[in-house]
Amino acid sequence: MRKQILRLLRTGEQISGEALSRELGISRAAIGKHIKALRQAGYQIEASPGCGYRLLSIPDILSAEEIGCYLAADTPWKIHYHASLDSTNNEIRRLAEADAPGFSVVIAETQTAGQGRLDRTWHSAPQAGLWLSYLLRPKMPPQLAQTMTLTSACAVVAALSRFGFACRIKWPNDVLGPDGRKLCGIKSEMRSTMDEVEWLLCGIGININNLSFPEPLDQTATSLRILKGEPLPRAPLAAALLEELERFYAVLCREGFAPIRQLWLRDAVSLGQRVRVSNWHEQFYAIAQDLDENGCLIVERDGQRQILSSGDILL
Ligand code: BT5
């Protein structure tokens, strides 16, 4: 209901309590309660006796109502919004295990224990970024579902390009700004048998309005605000990302990874370059060459072709 009230107020016109109550089929007292709750959430709403309500300003929050204003009414995403969580990945995993449906999304304004891969931490400053995890229940073989990290990276690049940012992808899970610094990291988890996937979750962290980063991240990280020189409203960006994720996932379900691989190759940074590879058992130098049909990186190491299914590369 609050989302619908917001949609009506967003025209910027004054609208009477009576008109709102008629349009939405609820009492004027109920309208009054929703207006109070919206003000508490940070919306500045002017009320003039006899004339009605007018929206004066919108807070920079990532609530379901605010993001919902930028999404189509029939969006499949169900947003769970939190002021603070240890990690949105932990919360979406809990929902997955409690049988939550696919297309559930958890968003937090801050994370107290944001996670990177392999026990690394993810810096998640309050109100600065988009810290989001989503759940899918794909009817596809686990091997294809595993490409969802790369697919999500393509969706991030597509969403950011709508706001004028030309970003690049670094295998396996980073999106970099045009300056080569890390703007976004992705961490996926899956529960499956050898044949079918029970659930798949992806956590995406995008630095949006960070002005700076603590050491040593200040050497490697960037944010959209640093790149652009001005802050960005986060809710339209979150909505764009959810739309692109839905679109890319539909392509993956319908056509497999091949068309997404082409987009990935177009936007990848590392190909043709000498990289340092670290994986769980060794470190070595190689030339990054290609991405195979399963999303593995093909490198040339001492004249030999090697296929990497996991690990980190340093340019
Ligand atoms: C990642 O791991 O890049 C995956 C990050 C996933 C974060 C999202 S936020 C929403 C969801 N909830 C979570 O708890 N996690 C997900 P990895 O490739 O292992 O990179 C981790 C490394 O990136 C760290 O060791 C730092 O060097 C660096 N790093 C940490 N925070 C960063 C930040 N905000 N921006 C850029 N780099 C960062």
Side-chain angles (χ1 to χ4, degrees):
M1 188 51 69
R2 258 169 238 162
K3 190 165 85 185
Q4 281 153 293
I5 295 178
L6 273 178
R7 269 189 208 271
L8 292 169
L9 286 174
R10 274 180 122 83
T11 58
E13 300 292 316
Q14 202 155 43
I15 178 159
S16 70
E18 196 185 318
L20 281 173
S21 110
R22 207 176 36 242
E23 183 85 23
L24 301 171
I26 59 171
S27 70
R28 288 187 63 175
I31 296 283
K33 273 190 198 151
H34 287 302
I35 295 283
K36 190 173 168 201
L38 287 169
R39 283 186 177 137
Q40 276 164 356
Y43 293 88
Q44 240 189 311
I45 302 170
E46 179 188 68
S48 338
C51 296
Y53 300 106
R54 195 151 62 99
L55 184 61
L56 299 180
S57 75
I58 297 168
D60 180 35
I61 52 171
L62 294 173
S63 62
E65 288 89 18
E66 187 52 28
I67 296 174
C69 286
Y70 298 93
L71 289 171
D74 63 350
T75 180
W77 295 109
K78 286 160 282 296
I79 300 172
H80 302 253
Y81 171 68
H82 298 262
S84 175
L85 283 174
D86 56 348
S87 154
T88 55
N89 269 31
N90 286 348
E91 179 63 13
I92 199 84
R93 193 184 315 105
R94 200 185 60 71
L95 291 178
E97 283 166 0
D99 287 335
F103 292 98
S104 299
V105 194
V106 170
I107 299 181
E109 293 287 358
T110 186
Q111 299 183 112
T112 52
Q115 301 161 1
R117 294 171 304 146
L118 307 166
D119 286 335
R120 296 175 194 142
T121 56
W122 182 257
H123 173 71
S124 322
Q127 273 82 41
L130 177 58
W131 324 128
L132 156 162
S133 301
Y134 66 87
L135 171 69
L136 296 172
R137 296 191 179 276
K139 302 248 172 303
M140 59 176 68
Q143 206 176 25
L144 181 59
Q146 268 168 21
T147 62
M148 212 46 218
T149 299
L150 305 179
T151 302
S152 296
C154 291
V156 169
V157 170
L160 295 182
S161 79
R162 294 202 208 170
F163 296 83
F165 296 96
C167 299
R168 307 295 298 277
I169 304 172
K170 180 166 138 323
W171 188 88
N173 68 319
D174 291 349
V175 176
L176 309 180
D179 57 358
R181 287 173 168 245
K182 184 159 169 170
L183 192 58
C184 161
I186 302 168
K187 177 178 173 165
S188 306
E189 298 172 36
M190 185 162 86
R191 170 164 293 174
S192 74
T193 63
M194 299 293 271
D195 306 300
E196 58 182 3
V197 180
E198 188 185 330
W199 52 253
L200 168 81
L201 68 86
C202 285
I204 303 180
I206 306 180
N207 301 320
I208 301 180
N209 285 330
N210 314 62
L211 278 168
S212 60
F213 293 90
E215 282 181 18
L217 283 184
D218 58 341
Q219 302 300 311
T220 54
T222 193
S223 73
L224 297 178
R225 180 172 187 164
I226 292 170
L227 290 169
K228 192 166 182 204
E230 57 184 65
L232 278 100
R234 292 174 304 147
L237 216 140
L241 177 61
L242 292 175
E243 280 175 1
E244 293 295 348
L245 286 167
E246 182 192 349
R247 189 166 74 87
F248 273 85
Y249 178 58
V251 172
L252 189 71
C253 293
R254 209 173 46 236
E255 298 171 52
F257 185 58
I260 295 164
R261 174 175 170 271
Q262 291 305 326
L263 291 176
W264 192 95
L265 289 170
R266 185 194 67 188
D267 294 332
V269 274
S270 47
L271 300 179
Q273 291 193 30
R274 187 172 140 87
V275 293
R276 199 180 80 206
V277 178
S278 356
N279 58 26
W280 58 278
H281 63 117
E282 58 177 347
Q283 294 200 351
F284 57 90
Y285 284 92
I287 309 285
Q289 283 194 320
D290 201 356
L291 188 76
D292 78 4
E293 67 279 10
N294 299 315
C296 297
L297 189 70
I298 303 175
V299 298
E300 187 192 296
R301 178 186 186 182
D302 303 328
Q304 302 283 317
R305 211 171 113 101
Q306 189 166 334
I307 294 180
L308 306 175
S309 58
S310 64
D312 281 297
I313 60 165
L314 203 72
L315 298 175

